[in-house]
């Protein structure tokens, strides 16, 4: 046994859990799981399995489910326990609570009720990917999961065109091929990127290259597992007006005005609204 059963102060205790390798749990997290009055989890089975692996007993406690689809009454029940002076430990399925994982509403309600909130920090796919990718980390932005609908995803990607910091987002294996293909088209095929797969797990893989190269690779291999995509900061020089117009005219040959504007705006790192208005004028012949 590597944990200590000690008294915890009342309040909400957030637990970071491993993202793949069960040994990435911290000793403090195990102490908290062993000592909390109430246990709650995004996935109760995953937490029970983790506790079993590390020999943390339930001692008659139940693990309550709390996730994105939980009812307000479920959240109120946990907050009421804290207000009564109990310690509540909350763990997500994998990684750090609230980092693209549930927990925001629970934390917000706990703080609103004047309940102390603390965290036992630990594993996160975000920070690990930044550590191993080899891209600048002095400034970065985390964008959560890319949208599932294609139109929304393309808009999401276009919004990263001018990012002056490393951009990080999560993607599913089912959508990663389409996402990288769209990214290469909208952000430019030569944009530097890194794809991290199955971090901390047996088939962990980190691939660096251009967006087009990664898109081609994924199309060939069809990788499985959890994905983290990192985009290098934009380094585009200011675009000449004639080059933008030429790109718009070429895009209009095969695309609608809206789609052409989106692609050109992403390629040149320009505001979509401005490019859209320019495309309308060119389409009508006013800008020629």
């Amino acid at each position: 046994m590597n944990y200590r059963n000690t008294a915890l102060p009342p309040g909400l205790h957030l637990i970071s859990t491993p993202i793949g390798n069960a040994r990435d749990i911290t000793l403090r997290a195990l102490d908290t799981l062993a000592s909390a009055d109430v246990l709650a989890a995004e996935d109760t089975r995953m937490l029970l399995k983790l506790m079993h692996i590390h020999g943390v007993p339930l001692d008659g406690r139940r693990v309550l489910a709390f996730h994105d689809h939980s009812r307000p009454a479920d959240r109120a029940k946990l907050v009421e326990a804290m207000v009564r002076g109990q310690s509540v430990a909350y763990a997500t399925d994998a990684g750090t609570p609230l980092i693209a994982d549930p927990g925001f509403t629970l934390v917000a309600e706990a703080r609103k009720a004047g309940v102390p909130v603390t965290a036992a920090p630990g594993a996160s796919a975000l920070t690990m990917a930044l550590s191993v990718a080899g891209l600048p980390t002095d400034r970065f932005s985390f964008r959560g999961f890319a949208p599932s609908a294609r139109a929304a995803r393309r808009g999401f990607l276009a919004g990263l065109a001018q990012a002056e910091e490393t951009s990080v987002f999560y993607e599913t294996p089912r959508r990663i091929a389409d996402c990288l293909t769209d990214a290469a088209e909208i952000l430019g095929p030569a944009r530097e990127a890194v794809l991290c797969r199955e971090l901390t797990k047996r088939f962990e893989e980190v691939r660096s290259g251009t967006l087009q190269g990664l898109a081609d690779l994924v199309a060939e291999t069809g990788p499985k597992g959890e994905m983290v995509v990192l985009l290098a900061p934009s380094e585009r020089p200011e675009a000449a007006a004639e080059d933008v117009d030429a790109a718009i005219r070429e895009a209009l040959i095969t695309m609608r005005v809206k789609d052409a504007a989106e692609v050109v705006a992403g390629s040149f790192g320009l505001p979509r609204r401005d490019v859209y208005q320019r495309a309308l004028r060119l389409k009508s012949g006013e800008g020629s």
Side-chain angles (χ1 to χ4, degrees):
M1 296 183 183
N2 293 317
Y3 65 87
R4 295 179 300 175
N5 192 324
T6 57
L8 283 179
L12 178 59
H13 301 261
L14 302 173
I15 304 294
S16 294
T17 56
I19 58 176
N21 189 322
R23 295 184 65 83
D24 287 339
I25 191 77
T26 68
L27 294 179
R28 182 182 170 194
L30 294 178
D31 292 345
T32 303
L33 290 173
S35 307
D37 297 316
V38 179
L39 298 172
E42 177 188 5
D43 187 326
T44 59
R45 292 171 299 177
M46 291 293 289
L47 183 59
L48 287 169
K49 180 180 179 181
L50 184 65
M51 292 174 66
H52 175 74
I53 289 172
H54 292 287
V56 179
L58 279 173
D59 287 334
R61 298 171 298 172
R62 292 175 53 221
V63 180
L64 305 178
F66 185 82
H67 43 70
D68 282 335
H69 305 292
S70 292
R71 301 169 302 170
D74 298 325
R75 180 172 64 248
K77 183 176 181 180
L78 293 173
V79 175
E80 287 169 8
M82 302 173 212
V83 172
R84 290 196 308 268
Q86 291 186 297
S87 55
V88 175
Y90 176 65
T92 51
D93 182 1
T96 299
L98 280 74
I99 308 301
D101 272 311
F104 168 74
T105 56
L106 183 59
V107 170
E109 287 297 319
R111 297 188 65 84
K112 184 178 179 180
V115 173
V117 179
T118 188
S124 170
L126 166 64
T127 53
M128 181 175 177
L130 284 165
S131 296
V132 301
L135 295 178
T137 57
D138 55 332
R139 287 196 303 164
F140 66 89
S141 61
F142 175 56
R143 307 300 180 110
F145 278 91
S148 57
R150 186 167 188 259
R153 181 174 65 240
R154 289 172 68 86
F156 166 86
L157 292 168
L160 304 179
Q162 299 183 76
E164 297 179 356
E165 71 283 347
T166 297
S167 301
V168 189
F169 61 90
Y170 295 163
E171 187 55 283
T172 67
R174 184 171 61 86
R175 299 195 301 260
I176 188 63
D178 290 339
C179 180
L180 289 175
T181 298
D182 285 344
E185 180 180 342
I186 293 171
L187 303 177
R191 181 78 167 259
E192 184 182 359
V194 178
L195 177 64
C196 300
R197 182 177 75 89
E198 292 288 85
L199 292 175
T200 80
K201 301 177 185 178
R202 180 181 177 186
F203 297 106
E204 177 180 315
E205 183 179 36
V206 178
R207 294 276 191 163
S208 302
T210 64
L211 279 173
Q212 189 61 59
L214 292 175
D216 293 342
L217 175 68
V218 166
E220 294 174 4
T221 60
K224 300 178 181 179
E226 302 300 324
M227 309 282 179
V228 185
V229 180
L230 303 96
L231 301 174
S234 173
E235 296 181 352
R236 290 189 178 89
E238 185 174 349
E242 56 269 26
D243 292 335
V244 176
D245 286 353
I248 292 173
R249 289 191 180 94
E250 183 177 355
L252 286 173
I253 296 174
T254 57
M255 299 181 188
R256 299 178 304 169
V257 172
K258 180 180 178 181
D259 296 333
E262 180 181 49
V263 170
V264 173
S267 297
F268 286 91
L270 298 172
R272 279 178 292 167
R273 177 177 296 182
D274 294 349
V275 177
Y276 179 73
Q277 294 299 323
R278 184 63 184 163
L280 285 176
R281 290 195 294 270
L282 289 172
K283 182 78 171 179
S284 66
E286 295 178 12
S288 55

